Every structure is written in C-alpha cells, then in structure tokens.
Amino acid sequence: MNYVPGCVKMVQVSIVLLLSAGVLKLFWKIDNELQQYSFNKLIKYCLFWGSILSLGIFLAPHQKAIEEQVCGILLAVYLTVCTVTDTLIYQVYDIMQYPGVLGGLIWVLLKEPQAGLGVSVILFAGMQYFILMKKYGKGDGMGYCICSLYLAGAGMDIEGYLYHMVIGFGLLAAVQGIRGNITGKGNLKKAVALYPYISAGFLIMWIFLY
C-alpha cells in the first residue's frame, strides 16, 4: 500500500492551516473590529473552513506538478481567510485579493486553456465589476472572479462561472430559507456573509464538475 499521496495531502492541508492562522493572527492584531472576537474563536473557524476547503481542493487530483500544488495552497488560504473574516465581521481585506489573483493567473498559465476562455474570463469580470459588485460588494465580486480563473484553468467557460454563482446562491437560499431569513418577496431579512457560499459552491464545481 502506498501512503505517499495521503502524506502529501496531509502536508498540504497543514500548510494551508498554518498559513491561514498566521494571516488571521496578523489581521487580528491590527484590526480592532476583529478583536471583538478572541483569537481562539478565529482559530476554530480557521480549522473548520481551512480543513474543509483544503481537503476539498486537494481531494480532486488536479494539482500534480509542484507549481500546481502551490496554486492550490494559495487558493485554499485565500478562501479560508476571506470566509472566516466575512463570516465574523462581514469584511474581506483587500490585500487578500493579491495572492488570490496571483495563484489564479499562474494556474491558468500552467494549464494553458483555449484562447477563447480568456475572453470568457474578461466578460465575466466585466459583469462582476459593472453590474454585480453593486449588488453584493467588491470583495464578493473579486471572490467570484478569482474562482473563475481556476475554473478557466480547468477548461470551463463563462457558463461554468455562472453555474458557480447559481450553486452558491442556491445554497444560500436553502440555508437561509431553513433559518427563516427570507421574506415573502425573496429578499434576506438580515444580511449574511456570502463567502461561505462562494467557497462551498466552488468546491462542488471543483470536485464534481471539473
């Protein structure tokens, strides 16, 4: 029996958790709003989301070369940190977009997708920037754009990026409907964090629809 692949995945997950915890520690030290929560609570959220996201991302055998594995780690850390801060204080730090975009761009270049997919990513980014970000915020829109880079590297076009959104909002509607947080007109009674649903929707695309 070969234990090497399992050991590699455990190392990848450990790296994601350590990096995510380190970044959250830095944000916690400099942001008074985040300090309303104990760091232990941040760690609990980090362990929960970091484990789910990193296991999901590395469960699918898409990262073979070391460069691809690094991109997977950047994606997992990005989604983990953004999901935790969005859940707790409804905020995503702008600086987190840089590792997210960097990992996505490197991933696309490594995978060498068809030329037409670049147009799909640009069209989707334009849709986010000019229309959708006005409805749910810049940070959420950037999350969808960064995920679209990884999906583009998987060979998906704009339909795939839109499916990601449909799945995410479908999960949101289901969860908030169960919680009684949706009005008769279909609006949320109380605002909720969107990144948990962006992350969960991405994992579904990544594992089952890649």
Side-chain angles (χ1 to χ4, degrees), residues 134-168:
K134 297 177 182 179
K135 298 181 180 296
Y136 47 57
K138 179 181 176 182
D140 297 324
M142 283 299 300
Y144 279 118
C145 288
I146 289 169
C147 288
S148 74
L149 288 172
Y150 281 87
L151 296 177
M156 295 186 189
D157 59 15
I158 195 168
E159 290 184 357
Y161 321 150
L162 293 174
Y163 286 149
H164 174 207
M165 294 187 65
V166 169
I167 292 172

Side-chain angles (χ1 to χ4, degrees), residues 65-129:
I66 185 65
E67 297 89 348
E68 295 171 341
Q69 294 178 38
V70 171
C71 290
I73 289 172
L74 287 174
L75 174 63
V77 171
Y78 167 76
L79 289 177
T80 298
V81 173
C82 292
T83 299
V84 171
T85 60
D86 193 28
T87 300
L88 293 177
I89 60 174
Y90 301 105
Q91 180 176 329
V92 173
Y93 298 98
D94 290 340
I95 195 172
M96 287 304 303
Q97 310 302 344
Y98 293 101
V101 171
L102 177 63
L105 289 175
I106 295 174
W107 177 264
V108 169
L109 294 174
L110 289 172
K111 293 297 184 177
E112 299 180 353
Q114 299 177 1
L117 290 179
V119 177
S120 294
V121 172
I122 293 172
L123 288 174
F124 184 73
M127 183 189 306
Q128 291 291 333
Y129 185 81

Side-chain angles (χ1 to χ4, degrees), residues 14-30:
S14 299
I15 291 173
V16 170
L17 293 176
L18 288 172
L19 289 175
S20 299
V23 173
L24 286 168
K25 179 71 172 182
L26 177 62
F27 289 149
W28 183 76
K29 283 187 173 182
I30 64 178

